[in-house]
Amino acid sequence: MMASIGVITMFDLYLYEETLLSILDANIFFEKGTSQWMLYVNLLFGFFYGMVVDYRFRKSKKSSKSS
């Protein structure tokens, strides 16, 4: 994700001739009223949920192997 933000930032720097901090601010932080934050919250929730499910699966697989 950070690499894609970096590519977008460099493209915006060239295209709009703005300062680096103003472009990073626009690409990373959300303005009030946008629903972009909901996408990232759900994305992070899905990532962590997948990690928990995988951990439980691996744990049950190890316990069944040792028995």
Side-chain angles (χ1 to χ4, degrees):
M1 183 171 139
M2 291 306 290
S4 63
I5 290 175
V7 170
I8 292 169
T9 301
M10 291 302 166
F11 181 72
D12 286 349
L13 277 170
Y14 175 75
L15 187 65
Y16 298 115
E17 297 177 356
E18 295 273 337
T19 63
L20 178 65
L21 292 177
S22 66
I23 296 295
L24 280 174
D25 182 45
N27 286 337
I28 293 176
F29 303 111
F30 310 118
E31 295 178 13
K32 290 184 178 180
T34 62
S35 59
Q36 227 177 7
W37 65 271
M38 291 174 17
L39 171 73
Y40 289 114
V41 167
N42 288 320
L43 181 71
L44 288 173
F45 177 73
F47 178 72
F48 288 123
Y49 180 75
M51 288 176 54
V52 168
V53 168
D54 190 38
Y55 174 75
R56 287 182 181 172
F57 177 72
R58 186 174 284 184
K59 187 177 173 183
S60 68
K61 193 175 178 181
K62 281 184 180 180
S63 66
S64 67
K65 241 185 202 181
S66 64
S67 297

